[in-house]
Amino acid sequence: MKKILNLRLPVILAFTVAAGVALGYLFVFYSVDVRFIIAAIAFFAAIFIVCAVFVKRKTILVTIVLVGLLFTAGALNCFFRLDGYSDSPLIDGQTYEITACVYEKGENKRGEYVMLKNLRADGQKINGKMRAYLYETYGDFCDVGYNVKFTAEIGRNDPFPYGKLNFFAEENVKYDCTVYNSLTSERKFSPLASIRAAIRETLYSNLDKNTASVAFALLTGNTHAVDEGSMQNFRYGGIAHVFAVSGLHIGVVFLLIDFLTKKLRINRYAAATVCILFIFFYAAVCGFTVSSVRAAIMCAVSASGKLLHKKYDALNSLSVSAAVILAVTPLSLFAVGFQLSVGAVGGIIMLSNSLKSRFTVFPEKISSAAGASLAAQAGTLPVMLGRFGYLSAAGLLLNILVVPLISAVFVLLFVCTIFSSVFGFAAAYVMPVAALPLKLIISVLMSENFEGALLSGFGAGAFIPLYYICVFALSDKFNLKTAHRLTAVFCAMTALDSYVCVKAFPPRGVYKISVSANYGGGSVLIKHGKENILIVTQGLSPSGLQTMLSENYSTDINTLIILGDENCATEFQTYGLNCDTVVVYKNYIPVQPFKDTTVLYESEFTAGGTHFAFTDGYSLTAKCGNITVGICAGETVNVGQCDLIVAQESNADCRAEYKAFYNDRSTLYGIYDCGNLVFTTDGEKLKLLTLVPYRPTID
């Protein structure tokens, strides 16, 4: 009788490290004493003793020892990394003289910024990195590889803003600041920085800014300079992964170097060494991004296996790369790049053969591409839903049609950029021609609106384990009978359908109230029947708002209510929301209509069975049956007695059963600590659905 699953030691160890890292994260998040992690050693020691008495196989005993050590090491590594991120000798809001080295440069809505390492504050060496925004008159010019010196007010980053791990914590970026006119700089020689600077100079000097930024992202994985509109279209088309330097890039580079070594008839051991060294050097040029390191390790394992005449096992290779990455940088487990990279490759390994057989009516290359594309999307689907709230229905077709073209474009750009960087006199002639295919791809993608192809409303939560039951049941890696596969898929899909319906549509007569926030602003979504009513304040992140709406199956808004001043009302014209009616306070200046929407100026109105009344331009109340919800945008709460108050900060006059504050950490329901909160009511009694974590305020 066949085993249902052939367990592999590297897979077990990779999951062990990941589980340990997750435990360390939870211990810091819930402020649990680190000594409880060390207690895990006693637990594994007890298991080892029992197995040593009753089990004679040494492999099992060795596995238990490895699992125990790796689990504990992963937990402690993650715990001390996160605990250290919270600890700093610098005081938030204080001014320091900073000296540092620039390792990355980018641009966003706030303007140009540099990423700094090797920090010193007032001459004292400081652990961590810094993001420094450059004001228009910041001082001397600086670029990647420069040493800089300036004086600025420093802000410290929290590890868990709005209930989630700060993505800056993954790279140990502890601080941020704005530099006005005090910066002095000195160029410092750095091989890697010089190569990145040469690539950037070659692209930006010979191509238009948009094409150059996309080409630079394609070659190095640095998307900081890509226009947000272009980046959004790549995401909505389901092909933004082409910017993550991974198997597509590392594999092409590996094959190019392998081809050259064969042409030069280099000894196979020397050739393998050259290939491995070069792909890791390329990963270093790209800043050792998680996806580039994962792909480089897998290529190295493959090359080493060939030298040793060992059969290559992709699942073992992926597990080794994941375990190495988590051992060195444990917070990568929570990075979207790591999750997408491992999910895509894992999906291909688990499902590509099964899916390929469904496309046998097509030629071999098309069926392989379709099977691999669909498998990669299947592997990343939970990540996309959990992190962004949507997935792209256009992704399958675009991955089959566009990604092979981009692979060819990458080879062309890679070769021509190296040639043009070395022979600068030829760059003006070579680069515009080499970039023509990329310009064509960009223009086609930008001319299409992929937002209409997005699927959303599934959320994450219970969806993920149910979904993976389906994936495992369909995979040829599990030895299951057809009847068992069909039963597992049917049960999981039935549970999935039920979960999605409950998630997306509240029961009849029930109001679902979701409170969300980000730096500088917040939003409240009221779902009642088929109606979606969104109340927003100023300073919101468009991407964060879209994610919240997607998670709640509310991308189409029936009524949008704007709190704040007149500038706040005009700001939301650029948010791209789909809404029927926009309501603002009656004393606002005229606001330009949002697309085809109707703008109403009211003091009281009813929408979706909920009665709203503005107290002023910054506050209003929402009557959900007999439950009153007060929502405030300003610092002052001006809504009187309520069952639920949602505001920026606490106020002595707040009188409510529940108080949810966007940026206040002094109460139990501070959204900055808890993250999104969800309340429900049948119009008579208010209930909090969200499990609110308790974490002491961080000084």
Side-chain angles (χ1 to χ4, degrees), residues 397-445:
L397 183 62
L398 288 180
N399 274 278
I400 294 173
L401 297 178
V402 177
V403 171
L405 293 176
I406 291 180
S407 301
V409 168
F410 171 80
V411 174
L412 182 62
L413 279 175
F414 183 82
V415 174
C416 291
T417 302
I418 292 177
F419 177 83
S420 299
S421 299
V422 175
F423 304 101
F425 64 88
Y429 306 98
V430 173
M431 292 308 301
V433 176
L436 280 176
L438 180 62
K439 291 186 71 171
L440 178 61
I441 292 172
I442 294 172
S443 63
V444 171
L445 290 176

Side-chain angles (χ1 to χ4, degrees), residues 170-182:
E170 297 158 10
E171 297 183 13
N172 200 30
V173 179
K174 288 187 176 183
Y175 314 99
D176 60 46
C177 67
T178 301
V179 183
Y180 290 96
N181 54 13
S182 62

Side-chain angles (χ1 to χ4, degrees), residues 339 342-344 346-348 351 374-383 467-468 471:
Q339 293 171 1
V342 173
I348 291 172
L351 291 176
L374 189 56
Q377 288 192 76
T380 58
L381 185 147
V383 181
Y467 172 81
Y468 276 122
V471 171

Side-chain angles (χ1 to χ4, degrees), residues 9 13 17 73 176 219 481:
L9 181 60
L13 298 182
V17 177
D176 60 46
L219 291 172
K481 294 181 179 179

Side-chain angles (χ1 to χ4, degrees), residues 594-617:
F594 291 50
K595 299 180 181 178
D596 298 325
T597 60
T598 302
V599 179
L600 302 178
Y601 301 85
E602 303 286 352
S603 58
E604 288 190 51
F605 61 98
T606 299
T610 304
H611 182 76
F612 294 90
F614 283 97
T615 308
D616 53 37

Side-chain angles (χ1 to χ4, degrees), residues 7-8 28 39 121 209 222 240 326 385 444 471 594 621 674 678 699:
L7 289 175
R8 296 167 168 84
V28 177
K209 184 178 179 181
N222 187 330
L326 294 179
L385 290 176
V444 171
V471 171
F594 291 50
T621 58
C674 300
V678 180
D699 295 326

Side-chain angles (χ1 to χ4, degrees), residues 120-199:
R120 286 185 177 273
D122 292 341
Q124 179 185 358
K125 188 174 181 180
I126 302 299
N127 183 308
K129 301 175 184 176
M130 177 183 292
R131 178 177 59 173
Y133 284 97
L134 304 177
Y135 194 66
E136 293 177 357
T137 55
Y138 60 83
D140 294 352
F141 172 80
C142 66
D143 206 332
V144 175
Y146 279 62
N147 283 336
V148 296
K149 183 178 181 180
F150 59 87
T151 300
E153 183 180 300
I154 304 303
R156 284 173 50 185
N157 294 327
D158 286 329
F160 300 107
Y162 303 102
K164 297 179 181 178
L165 179 66
N166 191 333
F167 71 94
F168 281 124
E170 297 158 10
E171 297 183 13
N172 200 30
V173 179
K174 288 187 176 183
Y175 314 99
D176 60 46
C177 67
T178 301
V179 183
Y180 290 96
N181 54 13
S182 62
L183 185 144
T184 58
S185 65
E186 179 184 3
R187 186 167 185 173
K188 175 188 175 184
F189 177 74
S190 168
L192 296 178
S194 298
I195 291 172
R196 285 198 294 271
I199 293 172

